[in-house]
Amino acid sequence: MPKWSVRRRPSLLLGAVLLIVCLPVLRRLDWSGLGASLWRRRHLGLRADGQNFKLENSAFWIFGGSVHYFRVPRAYWRDRLLKLRACGLNTLTTYVPWNLHEPERGTFDFSGNLDLEAFILLAAEVGLWVILRPGPYICSEVDLGGLPSWLLRDPDMRLRTTYKGFTEAVDLYFDHLMLRVVPLQYKHGGPIIAVQVENEYGSYNKDPAYMPYIKKALQDRGIAELLLTSDNQGGLKSGVLDGVLATINLQSQSELQLFTTILLGAQGSQPKMVMEYWTGWFDSWGGPHYILDSSEVLNTVSAIVKAGSSINLYMFHGGTNFGFIGGAMHFQDYKPDVTSYDYDAVLTEAGDYTAKYTKLREFFGSMAGAPLPVPPDLLPKTAYDPVTPAFYVSLWDALNFLELPVTSEHPVNMENLPINGGSGQSFGYTLYETTITASGVLTALVRDRGQVFLNTFFLGTLDYKKKTIVIPTVQGFTTLRILVENCGRVNYGDNIDQQRKGIIGNVYLNDSPLKKFKIYSLEMDRSFLQRFTADKWKPLTEEPMFPAFFLGALSVLDSPYDTFVKLEGWEKGVVFINNQNLGRYWNIGPQETLYLPGAWLDVGLNKIIVFEEKMAQRIIQFVDTPNLGQHEYVH
């Protein structure tokens, strides 16, 4: 799909030039589902007309569904969007994760699975309008709500405010992002009909100047479509912004009347929209798997529409928190999110139909006025033969061929490590080493989970509730090691400014601070894995020393199919397939399998690396059905 490249902020003249340039491209797209004649007379866009929406001069209802491109393998984007269209929906909504697009300050990535422009253009080709939710904060159960962790290198940082250090970073990011987004707006011939201003700011509400600043930042860079805010019931009164349409997030019918009353009082007679009708919910490690009955979903969706409101299903398809992108909640207790973002959504994590899909397709189809597209066939699943890893290398041996450690008199938190071009470390593990000569009580503040070792002997784990550990008798100079995992930065709440990871402050032994640390950054990205060359692996002929990396090969004889990795008997770690990070597993549940897209497998041998922290049964299973509670599946 062609891309447009613009090197300066769009002006009105530039916008006109872009419209002329883009017209030949748009003629090649299939706009039949959108009203093909509209692109010739796009002047007014989506707008409020009393209590109704109008697109140009035609009455318009938004029937939307959320799909996040960064949670779905690019090879499956079309499949998921075709299923959205076949459900009777006319609009795609998606967030834009700043932390993934600018992983290091000033370095941008919009390639591969992060090709936002390609995703939006594909939505148009399929026949969908787009509501873009570019943040900069998006929540979305992603690490730090989508804000890049390098912002926290500033000790005075105040996120989501007009603090200069934050707005300067937002301005540079928006300079880059909006050059990509502006040509894709409706008035430039693209599918974007509305843009959201930040996300649920009424629940945060730390700076009254912040939302006007974000609104101006969008408009100054050429955003000319309808602007929206989005808030839950508790934040709605504080989230309203002049000249911006307020929308609401909810899950139950009982909230509908109150929502209508609050909206009427906040902004008068305007079109009503539920920006997030929660079709399910996300899961946390060690908690339950959430299920929302399909009949309840249908009844609530029906009630919302009958109340005269447009609606967006959050999520239509949740997908997966691949890698380490998942966030966390921290109110009374810290609760990191599981790898799966299945969400008990309308489509499953692997894109399969559910009873919700069947019922909602019938409901939206009854209002369509024309037959809906035929839903695509399901992508096939398979259970591959189990794999027994043949090789391993302990973490302690791996340190010899990884990047040299940072040396520091005192511990340094993950974000402030002098690596990655001055942007610190965002994800993964960090290993702290120092030397001790005495026993006693060790005290440290770790975020989020720190395994303590004497040399290679495991002593115990430090976390939010356990801040001390007893060091037994030591003889002479002994290496103390603390392996700290970032389990996910909080993505919602008032404490996002305190989300630095690793060891925070000093480590004390008998109340005396320890010094002279070696600090290893274990980001476990592609460049990290590429250091595990063939000569580094040892045959797995004896009991391994943990933590350790295990190597196996999955043989695929024919066309690769989707499958699910099951690590029964393993405890906690990360799985990589052909250097793709599938995410974390943890035997405390509720998630028991990891989704492995067939699109990421090759015919022949596929390299599997498992990083296991504590123990392993040495068998990796592949099953054709996920073990994550019970969906109401439709086969």
Side-chain angles (χ1 to χ4, degrees):
M1 186 60 64
K3 293 184 181 179
W4 300 304
S5 177
V6 187
R7 303 203 177 273
R8 292 178 303 192
R9 288 188 186 177
S11 63
L12 289 176
L13 177 59
L14 178 56
V17 172
L18 282 170
L19 180 58
I20 294 169
V21 170
C22 294
L23 289 181
V25 175
L26 296 175
R27 286 193 186 101
R28 291 197 294 270
L29 296 177
D30 177 13
W31 293 88
S32 58
L34 308 182
S37 63
L38 276 180
W39 68 266
R40 297 188 188 91
R41 48 184 177 85
R42 294 183 177 204
H43 307 296
L44 302 176
L46 182 69
R47 58 197 174 94
D49 182 24
Q51 297 185 24
N52 302 307
F53 285 115
K54 278 193 173 180
L55 189 59
E56 293 303 322
N57 291 312
S58 300
F60 188 78
W61 285 65
I62 299 169
F63 295 145
S66 290
V67 181
H68 300 151
Y69 57 101
F70 51 93
R71 283 183 161 123
V72 181
R74 181 168 180 163
Y76 295 161
W77 285 353
R78 181 180 295 274
D79 173 78
R80 306 314 195 242
L81 296 184
L82 287 172
K83 288 171 177 172
L84 189 150
R85 187 74 183 89
C87 194
L89 304 178
N90 60 16
T91 303
L92 164 72
T93 70
T94 188
Y95 283 127
V96 182
W98 180 9
N99 57 348
L100 302 186
H101 285 299
E102 193 179 359
E104 298 177 17
R105 187 187 288 266
T107 301
F108 298 95
D109 184 3
F110 283 83
S111 64
N113 233 90
L114 294 175
D115 194 336
L116 172 64
E117 294 154 287
F119 186 66
I120 292 172
L121 287 169
L122 179 60
E125 183 181 338
V126 166
L128 296 165
W129 299 113
V130 175
I131 295 177
L132 196 69
R133 310 175 78 186
Y137 165 85
I138 62 173
C139 185
S140 187
E141 288 73 60
V142 297
D143 187 275
L144 203 59
L147 300 174
S149 63
W150 45 257
L151 291 166
L152 297 174
R153 292 173 67 85
D154 179 350
D156 300 317
M157 177 56 64
R158 297 194 300 277
L159 302 171
R160 304 182 74 191
T161 70
T162 51
Y163 172 68
K164 184 178 179 182
F166 184 68
T167 58
E168 286 180 345
V170 172
D171 286 341
L172 289 172
Y173 170 57
F174 271 13
D175 283 346
H176 190 95
L177 174 64
M178 296 310 156
L179 291 178
R180 297 173 179 273
V181 168
V182 164
L184 301 174
Q185 294 180 103
Y186 173 90
K187 290 170 185 172
H188 290 292
I192 297 175
I193 56 173
V195 176
Q196 185 173 299
V197 182
E198 233 257 3
N199 190 57
E200 292 187 324
Y201 195 72
S203 300
Y204 193 69
N205 198 31
K206 294 270 181 93
D207 182 349
Y210 176 68
M211 287 292 278
Y213 153 72
I214 294 295
K215 176 188 175 184
K216 187 174 187 299
L218 292 169
Q219 291 177 327
D220 285 353
R221 290 164 176 80
I223 296 300
E225 304 302 337
L226 179 71
L227 295 179
L228 309 164
T229 58
S230 172
D231 285 284
N232 59 29
Q233 179 182 306
L236 183 59
K237 291 181 180 179
S238 302
V240 175
L241 183 62
D242 286 344
V244 179
L245 183 71
T247 69
I248 192 79
N249 305 333
L250 55 79
Q251 189 171 70
S252 69
Q253 289 189 57
S254 62
E255 299 171 272
L256 262 180
Q257 184 57 50
L258 182 60
F259 139 64
T260 302
T261 303
I262 294 174
L263 265 185
L264 187 64
Q267 64 181 11
S269 181
Q270 294 281 339
K272 297 192 292 292
M273 179 172 181
V274 177
M275 177 59 74
E276 293 185 11
Y277 165 64
W278 300 316
T279 61
W281 202 245
F282 59 92
D283 296 339
S284 301
W285 287 115
H289 174 55
Y290 289 99
I291 293 287
L292 187 61
D293 181 75
S294 61
S295 296
E296 181 181 343
V297 168
L298 176 63
N299 290 338
T300 305
V301 169
S302 176
I304 290 170
V305 173
K306 287 178 181 177
S309 175
S310 287
I311 187 171
N312 176 62
L313 306 175
Y314 189 100
M315 296 292 296
F316 176 79
H317 170 55
T320 308
N321 292 322
F322 292 116
F324 300 118
I325 70 171
M329 301 294 282
H330 193 174
F331 293 104
Q332 288 77 27
D333 297 313
Y334 172 78
K335 296 179 179 180
D337 298 335
V338 303
T339 298
S340 172
Y341 201 61
D342 176 272
Y343 208 85
D344 195 40
V346 183
L347 294 181
T348 71
E349 180 182 15
D352 292 339
Y353 300 115
T354 67
K356 291 176 185 177
Y357 187 95
T358 303
K359 292 175 181 178
L360 290 173
R361 173 176 155 81
E362 183 177 353
F363 172 73
F364 288 115
S366 68
M367 296 181 289
L372 296 180
V374 176
D377 292 337
L378 292 179
L379 297 176
K381 313 288 185 297
T382 194
Y384 291 106
D385 290 338
V387 170
T388 302
F391 301 92
Y392 94 105
V393 59
S394 75
L395 173 61
W396 318 124
D397 289 338
L399 297 179
N400 297 320
F401 56 83
L402 299 180
E403 291 278 359
L404 293 175
V406 172
T407 57
S408 174
E409 190 73 4
H410 303 282
V412 179
N413 61 284
M414 182 182 283
E415 295 78 8
N416 284 96
L417 289 173
I419 61 174
N420 293 328
S423 293
Q425 181 181 345
S426 295
F427 305 115
Y429 296 75
T430 308
L431 177 66
Y432 298 81
E433 284 189 356
T434 189
T435 300
I436 60 174
T437 57
S439 60
V441 177
L442 183 80
T443 305
L445 189 65
V446 302
R447 294 292 181 266
D448 298 296
R449 191 170 173 274
Q451 296 180 78
V452 182
F453 300 85
L454 277 187
N455 294 323
T456 61
F457 179 76
F458 174 69
L459 291 179
T461 300
L462 299 172
D463 54 27
Y464 286 84
K465 295 182 178 179
K466 184 174 174 59
K467 298 179 175 64
T468 62
I469 199 165
V470 175
I471 304 294
T473 302
V474 299
Q475 296 181 346
F477 292 92
T478 303
T479 300
L480 173 73
R481 290 165 160 156
I482 305 178
L483 177 64
V484 184
E485 179 188 6
N486 166 13
C487 296
R489 295 181 183 86
V490 163
N491 54 265
Y492 182 86
D494 292 338
N495 59 344
I496 59 171
D497 290 342
Q498 287 77 50
Q499 291 306 302
R500 295 168 183 89
K501 300 298 185 179
I503 292 179
I504 312 299
N506 284 313
V507 177
Y508 297 91
L509 183 58
N510 300 326
D511 297 326
S512 296
L514 298 175
K515 299 181 180 180
K516 299 187 184 304
F517 282 83
K518 291 181 180 179
I519 307 172
Y520 294 85
S521 173
L522 309 175
E523 295 183 279
M524 300 197 185
D525 55 13
R526 283 182 177 271
S527 62
F528 177 94
L529 295 172
Q530 286 167 358
R531 291 179 170 268
F532 288 74
T533 52
D535 59 308
K536 303 299 194 297
W537 296 96
K538 298 179 180 178
L540 191 52
T541 56
E542 57 187 36
E543 185 63 28
M545 183 181 295
F546 292 93
F549 297 87
F550 295 83
L551 176 65
L554 171 64
S555 177
V556 176
L557 300 179
D558 300 311
S559 297
Y561 293 147
D562 287 3
T563 190
F564 299 87
V565 183
K566 187 174 183 180
L567 291 146
E568 192 170 4
W570 302 62
E571 186 163 315
K572 189 179 192 307
V574 188
V575 178
F576 307 87
I577 302 285
N578 297 329
N579 289 348
Q580 292 268 12
N581 188 335
L582 297 187
R584 300 178 176 93
Y585 64 90
W586 197 353
N587 66 354
I588 64 173
Q591 182 173 354
E592 298 178 12
T593 55
L594 290 174
Y595 174 51
L596 171 51
W600 289 355
L601 292 173
D602 301 321
V603 175
L605 295 180
N606 294 267
K607 181 174 67 175
I608 306 171
I609 295 177
V610 179
F611 175 66
E612 165 61 45
E613 295 180 12
K614 293 182 71 174
M615 62 175 288
Q617 295 298 320
R618 302 191 189 179
I619 301 293
I620 304 169
Q621 299 177 62
F622 299 88
V623 296
D624 58 5
T625 304
N627 251 333
L628 182 69
Q630 294 299 314
H631 254 292
E632 294 177 273
Y633 284 98
V634 175
H635 296 285

